[in-house]
Amino acid sequence: MTDRYASFVQSAAGRALVKRLGLPDPPRLRRHHPGDPLLPGPALLGAASGGRLAEPLAKMLTAAGVELTDPAATGQRYGALLFDATGVTDSTELRQLYDFFHPQARAVLPSGRVVVLGTPPRECATPREATAQRALEGLVRSIGKEFGRGTTAQLVYVSRADGTADDPALAAGTVTSLESTIRFLLSGRSAYVSGQVVRVGSGTASAPADWDRPLDGQVVLVTGAARGIGAALAKVLARDGATVVALDIPAAGDALAAVANDIGGTAVQLDLTAPDAPTRLAEHLASRHGRVDVVVHNAGITRDKTLGRMDADRWDQVIDVNLSSQERINDVLLERELIPTGGRIISVSSIAGIAGNRGQTNYATSKAGVIGLVDSLAPTLRERGISVNAVAPGFIETRLTARIPLVVREAGRRMNSLAQGGLPVDVAETIGWLAWPASGAVSGNVVRVCGQSLLGA
Ligand code: NAD
């Protein structure tokens, strides 16, 4: 679906009108193309005194081809501002963030990036340190709303438990539990992700031979792959090197075959709610591939009605497709040990699961349940080296959102920091990052792909 207003705004007449009337001004977002540099310009890296990450981060960025510049350079404009705030142990020391960001607030290039690194408050040594670290969220989320022109802002809490401070590999600037996340957040892959708090913990992360093919050799299952976000996912994951098993209902067989053929993947026609679906799927994966490295639970449906008007069928179908079928499939794949160490389970939730939505009690229940699934499975599966995460899309331009009445649709599209809907590829790129073998230290996260939507913020 096209956003005609966003196209109009890019024209000369559109620009003039937007300026005169103070209308929303959706910027053209920087999106990823293989071979792109990580940033559109140099980066500025700052640190609070005593920070544990600035030095290894500088090495990592330089090795990744990012030019780090001096703040003294006048008139310099930046592709990214990064700040290591792990040294902040008291609220009075937050002033160091003001001192760093204040002079650069207008120096960020369009589609630039702001990334602040902190220590998870729960791991802090004192209540004062935990308080100051928690305060970082407010700063980052506000920068996301203020800087404009497609700039995004994120906070990454980096666990102390991962030995980052003295990890020799990190110090050498080669491999790290943090690198995949930094690369994702700086690149055009994270175009529609803003105002997020990402937690990087301990976990095995292996750097790919080629960061443009971070999924080389991985077998990935994508459910609901015949169209919309699932079709974009199949494409992005195959582009990144994965062998994709694309699944959808038999009625979507033709579209599914087209997606699978296009990317050299295989198609599985299966209704996920059929009683024998988990075993049939497990048998297919076992016989064709012997394993599945990444499971992406993307298939989902809506059956909207306000609760008083909703028949039980609508309730049952939505909970079954969006939540219970995921649980049944996980159980069988895990029981049969088809998801190996280093495996990934990634579910698609929704901001409706965070904020709730009128007319969507069934859908919001199922999508909040998906978050519960991540919370409950991540700690248990960590021992098996399997990560579990979810993405929560906001307004994404698909057939699902095309059905929303015009006025509500316009509101949904514009009520976010980027003043536009996201594209299926934005959700796909975010899932891709979580799927990478290099992202083994990212587990238990729910990452919103919503342009920092005001809903549930
Ligand atoms: P879509 O309707 O375009 O695609 C969903 C796919 O899932 C379809 O191909 C459908 O055939 C398949 N599917 C449905 N029931 C199935 C079943 N029982 N077995 C196998 N396949 C089944 O939807 P989309 O917009 O691409 O959404 C994908 C996911 O993203 C869904 O989980 C949705 O809830 C979520 N989401 C979408 C948005 C958005 O704005 N589009 C926002 C938040 C969350």
Side-chain angles (χ1 to χ4, degrees), residues 31-52:
R31 290 194 166 87
H32 173 75
H33 302 283
D36 279 357
L38 277 182
L39 288 172
L44 181 65
L45 173 61
S49 46
R52 65 193 156 95

PDB file of all heavy atoms in Angstrom, residues 31-52:
ATOM      1  N   ARG A  31      17.148   3.216   4.247  1.00  0.00           N
ATOM      2  CA  ARG A  31      16.968   1.767   4.410  1.00  0.00           C
ATOM      3  C   ARG A  31      18.182   1.036   3.855  1.00  0.00           C
ATOM      4  O   ARG A  31      18.921   1.572   3.047  1.00  0.00           O
ATOM      5  CB  ARG A  31      15.669   1.304   3.754  1.00  0.00           C
ATOM      6  CG  ARG A  31      14.454   1.802   4.509  1.00  0.00           C
ATOM      7  CD  ARG A  31      13.178   1.107   4.093  1.00  0.00           C
ATOM      8  NE  ARG A  31      12.098   1.360   5.043  1.00  0.00           N
ATOM      9  CZ  ARG A  31      11.278   2.414   4.997  1.00  0.00           C
ATOM     10  NH1 ARG A  31      11.410   3.303   4.053  1.00  0.00           N
ATOM     11  NH2 ARG A  31      10.322   2.563   5.914  1.00  0.00           N
ATOM     12  N   HIS A  32      18.361  -0.201   4.321  1.00  0.00           N
ATOM     13  CA  HIS A  32      19.587  -0.947   4.025  1.00  0.00           C
ATOM     14  C   HIS A  32      19.613  -1.541   2.616  1.00  0.00           C
ATOM     15  O   HIS A  32      18.626  -2.078   2.143  1.00  0.00           O
ATOM     16  CB  HIS A  32      19.722  -2.089   5.041  1.00  0.00           C
ATOM     17  CG  HIS A  32      20.847  -3.021   4.753  1.00  0.00           C
ATOM     18  ND1 HIS A  32      22.159  -2.683   4.992  1.00  0.00           N
ATOM     19  CD2 HIS A  32      20.879  -4.269   4.227  1.00  0.00           C
ATOM     20  CE1 HIS A  32      22.942  -3.685   4.631  1.00  0.00           C
ATOM     21  NE2 HIS A  32      22.191  -4.658   4.167  1.00  0.00           N
ATOM     22  N   HIS A  33      20.778  -1.432   1.983  1.00  0.00           N
ATOM     23  CA  HIS A  33      21.050  -2.168   0.744  1.00  0.00           C
ATOM     24  C   HIS A  33      22.398  -2.831   0.933  1.00  0.00           C
ATOM     25  O   HIS A  33      23.329  -2.182   1.433  1.00  0.00           O
ATOM     26  CB  HIS A  33      21.099  -1.220  -0.455  1.00  0.00           C
ATOM     27  CG  HIS A  33      19.826  -0.447  -0.621  1.00  0.00           C
ATOM     28  ND1 HIS A  33      18.681  -1.002  -1.157  1.00  0.00           N
ATOM     29  CD2 HIS A  33      19.497   0.813  -0.267  1.00  0.00           C
ATOM     30  CE1 HIS A  33      17.715  -0.107  -1.138  1.00  0.00           C
ATOM     31  NE2 HIS A  33      18.178   1.000  -0.594  1.00  0.00           N
ATOM     32  N   PRO A  34      22.530  -4.113   0.551  1.00  0.00           N
ATOM     33  CA  PRO A  34      23.801  -4.804   0.769  1.00  0.00           C
ATOM     34  C   PRO A  34      24.955  -3.978   0.204  1.00  0.00           C
ATOM     35  O   PRO A  34      24.854  -3.407  -0.886  1.00  0.00           O
ATOM     36  CB  PRO A  34      23.627  -6.120   0.005  1.00  0.00           C
ATOM     37  CG  PRO A  34      22.156  -6.354   0.005  1.00  0.00           C
ATOM     38  CD  PRO A  34      21.524  -4.998  -0.069  1.00  0.00           C
ATOM     39  N   GLY A  35      26.028  -3.902   0.983  1.00  0.00           N
ATOM     40  CA  GLY A  35      27.196  -3.145   0.543  1.00  0.00           C
ATOM     41  C   GLY A  35      27.200  -1.704   1.056  1.00  0.00           C
ATOM     42  O   GLY A  35      28.212  -1.014   0.971  1.00  0.00           O
ATOM     43  N   ASP A  36      26.055  -1.238   1.599  1.00  0.00           N
ATOM     44  CA  ASP A  36      25.996   0.130   2.144  1.00  0.00           C
ATOM     45  C   ASP A  36      26.973   0.289   3.299  1.00  0.00           C
ATOM     46  O   ASP A  36      27.146  -0.636   4.098  1.00  0.00           O
ATOM     47  CB  ASP A  36      24.590   0.408   2.737  1.00  0.00           C
ATOM     48  CG  ASP A  36      23.580   0.782   1.679  1.00  0.00           C
ATOM     49  OD1 ASP A  36      23.974   0.878   0.509  1.00  0.00           O
ATOM     50  OD2 ASP A  36      22.400   0.963   2.047  1.00  0.00           O
ATOM     51  N   PRO A  37      27.564   1.498   3.465  1.00  0.00           N
ATOM     52  CA  PRO A  37      28.304   1.741   4.706  1.00  0.00           C
ATOM     53  C   PRO A  37      27.318   1.794   5.875  1.00  0.00           C
ATOM     54  O   PRO A  37      26.123   2.002   5.659  1.00  0.00           O
ATOM     55  CB  PRO A  37      28.957   3.108   4.473  1.00  0.00           C
ATOM     56  CG  PRO A  37      28.145   3.753   3.411  1.00  0.00           C
ATOM     57  CD  PRO A  37      27.539   2.657   2.574  1.00  0.00           C
ATOM     58  N   LEU A  38      27.831   1.601   7.098  1.00  0.00           N
ATOM     59  CA  LEU A  38      26.922   1.586   8.252  1.00  0.00           C
ATOM     60  C   LEU A  38      26.232   2.932   8.456  1.00  0.00           C
ATOM     61  O   LEU A  38      25.082   2.986   8.901  1.00  0.00           O
ATOM     62  CB  LEU A  38      27.698   1.241   9.532  1.00  0.00           C
ATOM     63  CG  LEU A  38      27.954  -0.239   9.807  1.00  0.00           C
ATOM     64  CD1 LEU A  38      28.686  -0.411  11.128  1.00  0.00           C
ATOM     65  CD2 LEU A  38      26.641  -1.022   9.842  1.00  0.00           C
ATOM     66  N   LEU A  39      26.942   4.028   8.135  1.00  0.00           N
ATOM     67  CA  LEU A  39      26.415   5.362   8.437  1.00  0.00           C
ATOM     68  C   LEU A  39      26.573   6.302   7.238  1.00  0.00           C
ATOM     69  O   LEU A  39      27.503   6.130   6.448  1.00  0.00           O
ATOM     70  CB  LEU A  39      27.179   5.963   9.623  1.00  0.00           C
ATOM     71  CG  LEU A  39      26.903   5.362  10.995  1.00  0.00           C
ATOM     72  CD1 LEU A  39      27.879   5.920  12.023  1.00  0.00           C
ATOM     73  CD2 LEU A  39      25.468   5.633  11.439  1.00  0.00           C
ATOM     74  N   PRO A  40      25.729   7.339   7.161  1.00  0.00           N
ATOM     75  CA  PRO A  40      25.867   8.298   6.058  1.00  0.00           C
ATOM     76  C   PRO A  40      26.967   9.337   6.309  1.00  0.00           C
ATOM     77  O   PRO A  40      27.200  10.206   5.473  1.00  0.00           O
ATOM     78  CB  PRO A  40      24.498   8.980   6.023  1.00  0.00           C
ATOM     79  CG  PRO A  40      23.962   8.848   7.402  1.00  0.00           C
ATOM     80  CD  PRO A  40      24.535   7.587   7.981  1.00  0.00           C
ATOM     81  N   GLY A  41      27.630   9.287   7.456  1.00  0.00           N
ATOM     82  CA  GLY A  41      28.686  10.257   7.776  1.00  0.00           C
ATOM     83  C   GLY A  41      29.462   9.778   8.979  1.00  0.00           C
ATOM     84  O   GLY A  41      29.190   8.690   9.503  1.00  0.00           O
ATOM     85  N   PRO A  42      30.408  10.558   9.450  1.00  0.00           N
ATOM     86  CA  PRO A  42      31.226  10.128  10.584  1.00  0.00           C
ATOM     87  C   PRO A  42      30.418  10.033  11.880  1.00  0.00           C
ATOM     88  O   PRO A  42      29.300  10.557  11.953  1.00  0.00           O
ATOM     89  CB  PRO A  42      32.286  11.221  10.699  1.00  0.00           C
ATOM     90  CG  PRO A  42      31.709  12.402  10.018  1.00  0.00           C
ATOM     91  CD  PRO A  42      30.802  11.887   8.950  1.00  0.00           C
ATOM     92  N   ALA A  43      30.987   9.368  12.871  1.00  0.00           N
ATOM     93  CA  ALA A  43      30.317   9.241  14.165  1.00  0.00           C
ATOM     94  C   ALA A  43      31.113   9.989  15.217  1.00  0.00           C
ATOM     95  O   ALA A  43      32.334  10.129  15.116  1.00  0.00           O
ATOM     96  CB  ALA A  43      30.198   7.772  14.545  1.00  0.00           C
ATOM     97  N   LEU A  44      30.391  10.449  16.226  1.00  0.00           N
ATOM     98  CA  LEU A  44      31.048  11.066  17.377  1.00  0.00           C
ATOM     99  C   LEU A  44      30.774  10.159  18.579  1.00  0.00           C
ATOM    100  O   LEU A  44      29.622   9.820  18.852  1.00  0.00           O
ATOM    101  CB  LEU A  44      30.461  12.460  17.617  1.00  0.00           C
ATOM    102  CG  LEU A  44      31.083  13.243  18.776  1.00  0.00           C
ATOM    103  CD1 LEU A  44      32.549  13.558  18.490  1.00  0.00           C
ATOM    104  CD2 LEU A  44      30.304  14.545  18.992  1.00  0.00           C
ATOM    105  N   LEU A  45      31.837   9.758  19.259  1.00  0.00           N
ATOM    106  CA  LEU A  45      31.693   8.843  20.401  1.00  0.00           C
ATOM    107  C   LEU A  45      32.118   9.564  21.670  1.00  0.00           C
ATOM    108  O   LEU A  45      33.235  10.074  21.758  1.00  0.00           O
ATOM    109  CB  LEU A  45      32.576   7.603  20.156  1.00  0.00           C
ATOM    110  CG  LEU A  45      32.704   6.592  21.290  1.00  0.00           C
ATOM    111  CD1 LEU A  45      31.349   6.000  21.665  1.00  0.00           C
ATOM    112  CD2 LEU A  45      33.666   5.460  20.891  1.00  0.00           C
ATOM    113  N   GLY A  46      31.225   9.591  22.647  1.00  0.00           N
ATOM    114  CA  GLY A  46      31.556  10.210  23.929  1.00  0.00           C
ATOM    115  C   GLY A  46      31.417   9.191  25.045  1.00  0.00           C
ATOM    116  O   GLY A  46      30.860   8.108  24.845  1.00  0.00           O
ATOM    117  N   ALA A  47      31.900   9.544  26.228  1.00  0.00           N
ATOM    118  CA  ALA A  47      31.797   8.618  27.354  1.00  0.00           C
ATOM    119  C   ALA A  47      31.803   9.379  28.666  1.00  0.00           C
ATOM    120  O   ALA A  47      32.484  10.397  28.803  1.00  0.00           O
ATOM    121  CB  ALA A  47      32.967   7.640  27.327  1.00  0.00           C
ATOM    122  N   ALA A  48      31.044   8.858  29.621  1.00  0.00           N
ATOM    123  CA  ALA A  48      31.128   9.383  30.978  1.00  0.00           C
ATOM    124  C   ALA A  48      32.409   8.828  31.588  1.00  0.00           C
ATOM    125  O   ALA A  48      32.828   7.711  31.224  1.00  0.00           O
ATOM    126  CB  ALA A  48      29.918   8.919  31.782  1.00  0.00           C
ATOM    127  N   SER A  49      33.004   9.551  32.506  1.00  0.00           N
ATOM    128  CA  SER A  49      34.270   9.058  33.051  1.00  0.00           C
ATOM    129  C   SER A  49      34.035   7.729  33.769  1.00  0.00           C
ATOM    130  O   SER A  49      33.018   7.524  34.425  1.00  0.00           O
ATOM    131  CB  SER A  49      34.889  10.092  33.988  1.00  0.00           C
ATOM    132  OG  SER A  49      33.899  10.586  34.845  1.00  0.00           O
ATOM    133  N   GLY A  50      34.970   6.807  33.547  1.00  0.00           N
ATOM    134  CA  GLY A  50      34.864   5.490  34.173  1.00  0.00           C
ATOM    135  C   GLY A  50      34.049   4.493  33.367  1.00  0.00           C
ATOM    136  O   GLY A  50      33.800   3.377  33.810  1.00  0.00           O
ATOM    137  N   GLY A  51      33.605   4.875  32.161  1.00  0.00           N
ATOM    138  CA  GLY A  51      32.806   3.962  31.326  1.00  0.00           C
ATOM    139  C   GLY A  51      33.629   2.752  30.903  1.00  0.00           C
ATOM    140  O   GLY A  51      34.821   2.881  30.663  1.00  0.00           O
ATOM    141  N   ARG A  52      32.971   1.591  30.779  1.00  0.00           N
ATOM    142  CA  ARG A  52      33.722   0.365  30.474  1.00  0.00           C
ATOM    143  C   ARG A  52      33.659  -0.017  29.000  1.00  0.00           C
ATOM    144  O   ARG A  52      34.293  -0.969  28.580  1.00  0.00           O
ATOM    145  CB  ARG A  52      33.216  -0.788  31.351  1.00  0.00           C
ATOM    146  CG  ARG A  52      31.781  -1.197  31.069  1.00  0.00           C
ATOM    147  CD  ARG A  52      31.200  -2.116  32.146  1.00  0.00           C
ATOM    148  NE  ARG A  52      29.766  -2.024  32.170  1.00  0.00           N
ATOM    149  CZ  ARG A  52      28.944  -2.837  31.533  1.00  0.00           C
ATOM    150  NH1 ARG A  52      29.426  -3.843  30.841  1.00  0.00           N
ATOM    151  NH2 ARG A  52      27.651  -2.662  31.593  1.00  0.00           N
TER     152      ARG A  52
END
